[in-house]
Amino acid sequence: MTRQFRVGDHVAWNSEAGRVSGRIVKIHTSDTPYKGYIHHASAAEPQYEIASDKTDHVALHKGAALTLLRS
């Protein structure tokens, strides 16, 4: 089972541009359309909406892709 995160947690993930960090702003527990794709999510495996610390970029990731920096 993947770690469960909360809104406000500060997390990091790998992107094509390198290591990125940001804060979780929303947790999606059902399939969510985002940037032209359907991101599959459930209560057991949510998608986390994360606002980047350095840019205005917002990303959706599953918990397996995230590392907790601090809450």
Side-chain angles (χ1 to χ4, degrees):
M1 181 172 174
T2 312
R3 181 182 183 345
Q4 297 290 307
F5 298 94
R6 298 178 304 198
V7 170
D9 282 352
H10 193 225
V11 296
W13 67 97
N14 290 322
S15 77
E16 57 277 351
R19 195 87 169 139
V20 181
S21 63
R23 293 225 175 254
I24 295 174
V25 294
K26 189 170 184 181
I27 300 170
H28 298 273
T29 56
S30 61
D31 292 353
T32 304
Y34 185 74
K35 294 187 177 181
Y37 298 95
I38 297 293
H39 290 262
H40 297 287
S42 66
E45 196 169 5
Q47 288 271 357
Y48 297 95
E49 189 171 328
I50 309 154
S52 171
D53 287 339
K54 295 184 179 179
T55 68
D56 60 354
H57 183 77
V58 174
L60 285 179
H61 291 292
K62 290 192 175 183
L66 304 174
T67 303
L68 182 65
L69 298 176
R70 64 183 175 270
S71 50

